[in-house]
Amino acid sequence: MKSKLVPLIVAALLAPLPASAMDVIKGEILQGWVLPDGNRVAAIRMTMAPGWKTYWRAPGDMGIPPQFDWNGSQNLSGVAVEWPAPTVFREKNLTTIGYKDQVVLPLVISVPKKGAAVHLKTTIDMGVCSDICVPAQLHLDGIIDTDATRAVPAIAASLAQRPFSAKEGGVSKATCMISFNNGDLELETVITLPDAGGQELVVIETGQPDLWVSEADTLRKGKTLTSKVDVAHSTGGPIALNRSQIRMTVLGDKHAVDILGCTPD
């Protein structure tokens, strides 16, 4: 069967946007292909009205990260969202990270019954932003039943836009140091890698959703990129960081680099 792109969107509902903004974002499920192990690749394509954007998994100041609920799906035991490299939006006193116009989010779907169709249902809670930023919700429902094994161009192109791995990005070392300043926890990372282009930004994720991380102060000197962030617990509780779970994404004008884990020195 020839591989083809089949939109399966049945609904794209927004809440609580005012009626005049109901069409600022639309979503659709895209057929993908079957992997050699019987699992599937599909995608969600989101299209924003002119002047609107949505957010990456780590949205920066004041952003709302997308949250996916797969309840109601059938023949699905897990979904990995593969994020293409986002854009850094710098405004006065505000930096956010996300996508404008359109984004395709590839999905790697674990399938318990190999060869059978997947009924994919998802609710996506997210934020959309123009002159104002508001919460939104997409409801998508579709059947993924292609038997194609060739990659679909639109999804393959998005997969190709993912950040480089540490090896691909030329990372030779990544360290992180923890200190306290007036009772506040500070995390400093030092990454040795080639220049990613332009005004680089390091985004730090702790792997713990109950921890808040500030925007990084990022500075490059030669081959070394240093960043500092403040870390706080959302409920004021104690903080325990696992260096192996700290994720550092370098966003540059030329490319992005995704680095998982750091060492004390």
Side-chain angles (χ1 to χ4, degrees):
M1 178 178 177
K2 186 178 180 180
S3 175
K4 59 182 179 180
L5 194 65
V6 182
L8 299 174
I9 180 172
V10 297
L13 306 179
L14 295 171
L17 298 179
S20 60
M22 290 297 287
D23 293 327
V24 298
I25 185 168
K26 295 183 183 295
E28 56 188 317
I29 298 171
L30 304 180
Q31 293 271 11
W33 61 92
V34 181
L35 294 169
D37 62 3
N39 292 320
R40 292 178 178 271
V41 174
I44 292 172
R45 179 162 58 196
M46 292 185 285
T47 303
M48 280 74 70
W52 289 82
K53 61 179 181 283
T54 192
Y55 296 104
W56 187 49
R57 63 167 193 262
D61 296 336
M62 305 299 290
I64 304 173
Q67 300 290 329
F68 299 85
D69 184 346
W70 308 103
N71 284 333
S73 297
Q74 297 177 15
N75 197 26
L76 179 153
S77 58
V79 181
V81 180
E82 300 289 339
W83 299 87
T87 297
V88 178
F89 300 102
R90 290 184 170 91
E91 304 171 33
K92 186 177 180 180
N93 301 321
L94 181 67
T95 299
T96 55
I97 305 168
Y99 310 97
K100 64 178 182 179
D101 299 329
Q102 185 180 104
V103 61
V104 173
L105 297 179
L107 310 173
V108 179
I109 302 172
S110 298
V111 180
K113 297 180 181 178
K114 309 301 183 186
V118 174
H119 184 182
L120 187 67
K121 295 182 68 174
T122 185
T123 297
I124 311 171
D125 290 299
M126 58 197 301
V128 290
C129 190
S130 180
D131 296 331
I132 59 170
C133 296
V134 292
Q137 192 175 80
L138 289 173
H139 298 289
L140 303 178
D141 187 327
I143 302 296
I144 300 172
D145 61 357
T146 180
D147 58 4
T149 57
R150 293 184 61 184
V152 172
I155 303 176
S158 186
L159 287 169
Q161 292 169 9
R162 290 175 297 179
F164 291 157
S165 67
K167 182 178 180 180
E168 292 168 336
V171 176
S172 58
K173 191 175 183 180
T175 65
C176 45
M177 292 148 282
I178 299 170
S179 61
F180 289 90
N181 184 6
N182 295 324
D184 296 327
L185 188 150
E186 293 183 343
L187 175 66
E188 178 179 279
T189 65
V190 180
I191 308 168
T192 304
L193 80 167
D195 195 326
Q199 186 179 349
E200 296 164 297
L201 175 67
V202 177
V203 180
I204 296 177
E205 300 167 81
T206 64
Q208 301 177 57
D210 55 351
L211 295 184
W212 170 85
V213 180
S214 70
E215 179 185 340
D217 291 326
T218 304
L219 177 65
R220 175 174 283 278
K221 288 186 177 180
K223 294 184 178 180
T224 300
L225 195 62
T226 301
S227 62
K228 292 183 180 181
V229 296
D230 296 324
V231 181
H233 198 287
S234 59
T235 62
I239 300 172
L241 293 178
N242 182 343
R243 284 185 171 87
S244 68
Q245 296 301 311
I246 293 174
R247 188 173 192 175
M248 299 151 285
T249 306
V250 179
L251 301 176
D253 289 348
K254 294 189 297 186
H255 58 258
V257 184
D258 191 9
I259 305 148
L260 181 61
C262 52
T263 59
D265 52 36

